[in-house]
Amino acid sequence: MAKGQTTVSDFAVAPRRSRPVEQSGTQPASESKPAELPTEPTNANQPQEAAPAGPEGDKPANRLIAPTEEARRERATTRALQREDSRIRLRDLKRARDRESKHYVNCPLDYDTKLRLQKAALENDVKMTVIMKAAIDQFLKDNGY
């Protein structure tokens, strides 16, 4: 299909779900949209006005925004504390992992041994360090350590 011949009507588009809370001027107008626009603001305002008068009082179940500044502040503090706890746990996990893996041992190898190790690593698609760890582990097990 050429660029100049393609139009918006050539593509199948799913109908938009109505969102009573969000309304922006960037949404494309369609034939059914003007009929929905007058009813959306009244539907969006009705639950907000009717919620405080309901049996639940200050905290209705369907409300996303906290009704008072104090409730908003409390929710923000709770979320900040949860994020801080998560951050600390993640940091501790990373430190524990680093402690386990940072015990390096250097060993000089002669040229032929190094070439054999490289060849084995390439042929078996593993890293040289993995082979060396396995060899050391096997040696220690065989000798009772």
Side-chain angles (χ1 to χ4, degrees):
M1 200 178 254
K3 253 188 186 178
Q5 297 172 352
T6 306
T7 63
V8 176
S9 61
D10 292 339
F11 299 98
V13 179
R16 288 189 182 265
R17 290 188 293 178
S18 63
R19 292 185 182 175
V21 177
E22 282 185 37
Q23 286 191 10
S24 63
T26 60
Q27 293 180 350
S30 66
E31 293 175 7
S32 62
K33 204 61 159 174
E36 294 175 8
L37 284 177
T39 59
E40 285 182 8
T42 57
N43 290 342
N45 292 333
Q46 285 176 355
Q48 290 175 353
E49 293 170 2
E56 295 172 341
D58 292 319
K59 297 186 178 184
N62 64 351
R63 197 164 210 180
L64 297 176
I65 299 173
T68 64
E69 186 65 31
E70 182 180 322
R72 286 188 203 117
R73 195 175 305 121
E74 182 180 333
R75 182 182 290 172
T77 304
T78 304
R79 287 183 181 167
L81 290 173
Q82 288 173 348
R83 282 194 303 267
E84 181 70 13
D85 290 343
S86 298
R87 189 184 63 79
I88 290 171
R89 278 196 309 269
L90 180 62
R91 183 193 64 199
D92 291 344
L93 284 172
K94 286 181 179 178
R95 284 184 181 170
R97 186 188 67 206
D98 289 345
R99 271 193 296 268
E100 291 173 2
S101 65
K102 287 192 177 180
H103 300 285
Y104 297 104
V105 177
N106 293 330
C107 66
L109 298 176
D110 60 280
Y111 185 71
D112 292 334
T113 307
K114 169 82 183 312
L115 286 179
R116 288 173 34 218
L117 179 61
Q118 260 182 331
K119 184 178 179 182
L122 286 172
E123 288 177 357
N124 294 305
D125 197 29
V126 292
K127 293 184 177 184
M128 290 189 290
T129 54
V130 172
I131 295 173
M132 291 183 71
K133 284 180 190 177
I136 292 169
D137 189 46
Q138 184 65 41
F139 175 81
L140 292 173
K141 284 181 183 176
D142 290 347
N143 292 310
Y145 292 102

